[in-house]
Amino acid sequence: MAAIARSLPRMTVKLAGQTDLDGWRTAARALAMKGVPADQVGWTIAGNASADLFAGTDHAASEALPGADSTTFTVPRAFVELAETVVCHRDPERFALLYRVLYRLREEPHLMKIGSDTDVRRLEAMAKSVRRDIHKMRAFVRFRRIGGGPDDRHVAWFEPDHFIVEANAPFFVRRFTGMRWTILTPLASADWDGTRLTIGPGATKTDAPSEDDAETLWRTYFASIFNPARLKVKAMQAEMPKRYWRNLPEASLIPDMIRGAEEKAREMVEKQPSEPAPHHAKIQARHWPAPPAGDSTTQDGADARTLAELSRTAESCRRCDLWRDATQTVFGEGPAPARVVFVGEQPGDHEDIAGKPFVGPAGRLLDGVLVEAGVDRDAVYVTNAVKHFKFEPRGKRRIHARPNAGEVKACRWWLDHELALIRPDLAVALGATAAQSLLGKPVAITKLRGQVIVRDDGLRVFLTVHPSYLLRIPDPADRDAEHGRFLADMKAVKALMG
Ligand code: URA
C-alpha cells in the first residue's frame, strides 16, 4: 500500500515496490480527485535511496487527502491496460508520466485516442518495450537442472530490461507446471515449488548454476534444426539480440554456423532432388486406386450413418480437383455427438502426410491455447472446410494456397454431413474460409471476430482468426498481443460451451 508524505508544496507518494500498481492507483485516484496537478507530485519506491529524500509524515493515500473532491471521472479501458504494462518499465519517471496522463484525462476524455500526443506516444512506446521484454524472456529462459531424484530442480538466469518477472511468472507456471523451478534475475526472482509461486528479491549470476546435460541437448537440437539456406543474419539478430547470447547454451554455435552457412547452402542447392518425396506417391497409391476406365462416378456418402462410414467414402472424393495433388483426404476427428466443432481452412503440409487435422504448427498452437483456455481438445470435434491440401510446389517445398469459393462450396457437402452426424450446438470458425463454409457467404472476420452468428438451423457459429495467422506475425510483441486475443476468444468459446 502506498503512503503519502506531505511536504508542501510538493507531495511525495512512496510506493511499496517497483510494480506497485495498486498503490499507484489508490494514490493517483485520490490525488486526481483532489485536483493535485501532476507537477506537484513526486513518486518514489520504498527502500530506494532516493525515497529517503522525501521522508516525512506518512499517511495512507486515502487518509492523506481529507476533503478530497467527491467528483469521479471515468478512465478509459485503454489507459488501464496501458498502465498495467507500463508499471513494469524500468524508467523511474513511469509513475509520474502515468499520473500526468490520468490527470489530463479529467479534462481530455479522448486523450488516449490521440496517437500524436507526446505523453500517449511515450506510454505506448514504454508498453511496447515491456511487451517485447516479456516475449524475450519467454523465448530465452534456459533452465539448468540441479540436484537429482526427488530434489530435482531447475534454475535459470535471465537479464530482463524491465521489472517483468512477476508479470511473466504465471506464463512459466502454465508452461512448466510439473517442474520445480526458479528464475533468477538481477531485478527479482520467481520460484515455483510445484504448487506455489513466490516472487523474491533479485540475485546475481553466480547464484545460478553453470553447465548441465541439458546444455548439450540444446546445442544438438539447435544444430539439427539449423537450415543454412534460410539464414538471415540480420533477422536472426533482431529476433535473438546478441545481449541474450551469453546465457543461451546454443549461442556458442552461432558464429561458426554463420561462417559455414554460405558453403552449406550451395551444397544443399546442388543436392536438391527434382523428384517429389517418395512418401507422396506411396500414400497416394494407397488412397487413390485409379478408377476403372470411363468411370467418373463416386459414392457420395449421403447414406452414411456414422462418421467412420462418411470418412471412408470421402477418401475417394472427386468433387473438385484438389484430390489430384494431395496425398490423401484429411477428414475430421473427434467424438460424435460433440457439443462443439472447430472448423479450420484445409489440411496443411503436415496434415496431408499424417492424414489428421491440425497436427502441424498451427495445430500445436491451437492445442496450447485450448489448454490455456481450459478446453479439452479430446472432447471437441476438429475438422476443415476443405478436406484436401491445396498447394503450389516450390522446389522441394509445398506452399499453402488458399482454396477458392468453388472448392469451398464443393467440400461443404462433407462438412454438412459431418455436422448432421455430430449435431453440435456451437461451431468455431477458425478464419474466413471456415466462416464462409459454415455461413454460406463471405464473412469479414476482422470486423466480426468474437461474435456469434446463429444459422437458420439453430447452429451457433463463433467467429475468430485462424491460428496460422498468429504464426505469420513477424514482430514478437505483436504476436504475443495477438496470442492474448486468441486466448480470450478461446475462453469465450469455453464460456459458450457452458
Ligand atoms: N490449418 C487448417 O486449417 N487445418 C489444419 O488441419 C491444419 C492447418
Side-chain angles (χ1 to χ4, degrees):
M1 169 59 73
I4 297 178
R6 204 161 189 165
S7 53
L8 288 173
R10 242 173 106 78
M11 293 195 165
T12 299
V13 181
K14 201 187 281 184
L15 298 166
Q18 293 288 2
T19 53
D20 182 12
L21 180 62
D22 287 346
W24 175 84
R25 201 189 281 122
T26 309
R29 195 184 294 139
L31 289 163
M33 280 164 58
K34 172 87 176 147
V36 181
D39 59 3
Q40 296 296 305
V41 189
W43 301 85
T44 64
I45 311 293
N48 269 9
S50 58
D52 297 337
L53 294 175
F54 300 92
T57 320
D58 286 351
H59 304 275
S62 49
E63 289 166 24
L65 297 158
D69 188 332
S70 61
T71 340
T72 56
F73 63 100
T74 316
V75 178
R77 175 117 208 99
F79 175 75
V80 177
E81 282 171 6
L82 217 50
E84 281 166 5
T85 309
V86 168
V87 289
C88 299
H89 201 281
R90 205 169 184 161
D91 187 336
E93 289 297 307
R94 63 196 179 284
F95 291 110
L97 176 63
L98 282 168
Y99 180 62
R100 187 159 68 238
V101 173
L102 180 80
Y103 190 77
R104 288 182 58 195
L105 278 167
R106 295 170 1 136
E107 305 293 334
E108 303 168 71
H110 301 299
L111 177 60
M112 298 312 292
K113 295 204 178 102
I114 306 175
S116 57
D117 183 90
T118 315
D119 286 344
V120 173
R121 274 188 25 212
R122 218 174 126 203
L123 280 184
E124 274 166 357
M126 287 165 105
K128 186 163 182 177
S129 173
V130 169
R131 283 198 294 267
R132 187 176 159 80
D133 202 30
I134 285 179
H135 170 81
K136 293 292 174 216
M137 182 172 169
R138 292 176 183 188
F140 298 139
V141 155
R142 296 284 182 270
F143 287 104
R144 290 176 169 136
R145 201 176 55 216
I146 56 171
D151 295 330
D152 211 23
R153 143 160 245 112
H154 291 79
V155 181
W157 170 252
F158 184 75
E159 292 165 41
D161 287 334
H162 304 295
F163 300 105
I164 55 168
V165 172
E166 191 168 358
N168 226 357
F171 167 85
F172 289 92
V173 170
R174 286 196 300 276
R175 173 77 59 90
F176 303 106
T177 314
M179 214 167 95
R180 296 189 323 140
W181 52 259
T182 308
I183 300 175
L184 302 172
T185 85
L187 303 176
S189 60
D191 180 80
W192 172 249
D193 66 3
T195 48
R196 207 159 49 97
L197 177 68
T198 312
I199 304 297
T204 59
K205 191 169 181 183
T206 48
D207 296 328
S210 47
E211 193 104 357
D212 74 348
D213 297 348
E215 312 264 293
T216 323
L217 207 70
W218 262 107
R219 280 194 205 108
T220 314
Y221 170 72
F222 190 70
S224 71
I225 57 161
F226 178 72
N227 179 348
R230 296 177 70 192
L231 177 67
K232 293 196 182 89
V233 177
K234 272 209 183 121
M236 183 178 84
Q237 286 185 1
E239 182 71 7
M240 193 195 274
K242 269 196 167 164
R243 69 180 200 78
Y244 295 107
W245 290 17
R246 61 176 175 269
N247 296 319
L248 296 176
E250 67 271 32
S252 62
L253 300 175
I254 295 173
D256 278 351
M257 283 176 153
I258 293 177
R259 246 175 272 128
E262 236 176 67
E263 180 68 13
K264 288 217 186 84
R266 209 172 320 113
E267 279 170 24
M268 278 170 64
V269 170
E270 279 159 16
K271 274 200 221 143
Q272 194 145 306
S274 53
E275 299 288 313
H279 64 254
H280 178 77
K282 252 194 253 155
I283 305 177
Q284 208 182 33
R286 202 163 67 226
H287 289 280
W288 300 121
D295 179 6
S296 62
T297 61
T298 55
Q299 259 187 290
D300 66 8
D303 53 0
R305 276 159 307 149
T306 63
L307 282 171
E309 277 175 34
L310 191 68
S311 125
R312 219 172 304 120
T313 321
E315 283 177 10
S316 53
C317 176
R318 303 284 193 276
R319 290 186 161 269
C320 75
D321 275 344
L322 293 183
W323 66 272
R324 288 181 192 282
D325 295 327
T327 307
Q328 57 191 312
T329 306
V330 179
F331 209 71
E333 236 184 29
R339 297 199 49 203
V340 185
V341 49
F342 280 73
V343 183
E345 182 192 74
Q346 60 161 343
D349 191 38
H350 291 76
E351 289 79 12
D352 173 74
I353 306 294
K356 286 166 172 293
F358 283 104
V359 292
R364 282 197 295 277
L365 193 150
L366 178 65
D367 281 353
V369 176
L370 290 182
V371 170
E372 279 187 82
V375 176
D376 178 5
R377 174 160 170 178
D378 292 337
V380 303
Y381 188 86
V382 179
T383 191
N384 282 299
V386 170
K387 310 286 194 251
H388 282 117
F389 179 33
K390 181 175 179 182
F391 62 91
E392 277 159 19
R394 203 165 302 155
K396 205 179 157 191
R397 299 180 63 214
R398 304 186 297 168
I399 309 296
H400 162 275
R402 200 167 173 184
N404 61 36
E407 289 152 353
V408 173
K409 192 166 171 216
C411 220
R412 196 175 170 192
W413 168 267
W414 299 112
L415 183 60
D416 283 347
H417 280 77
E418 279 175 298
L419 294 175
L421 291 170
I422 300 159
R423 301 196 309 278
D425 46 38
L426 179 68
V428 180
L430 299 167
T433 305
Q436 177 170 358
S437 181
L438 283 162
L439 298 171
K441 59 178 184 201
V443 177
I445 292 290
T446 35
K447 265 207 217 131
L448 298 177
R449 176 180 190 171
Q451 296 195 20
V452 173
I453 296 182
V454 184
R455 303 198 324 179
D456 290 345
D457 63 0
L459 177 65
R460 296 176 301 161
V461 179
F462 180 89
L463 301 170
T464 183
V465 294
H466 193 283
S468 63
Y469 158 67
L470 273 70
L471 296 172
R472 290 194 301 269
I473 299 174
D475 182 71
D478 294 345
R479 200 160 57 223
D480 253 14
E482 271 307 317
H483 185 100
R485 287 187 71 197
F486 191 54
L487 175 59
D489 283 349
M490 292 306 114
K491 286 186 178 163
V493 167
K494 168 88 179 159
L496 287 166
M497 286 165 74

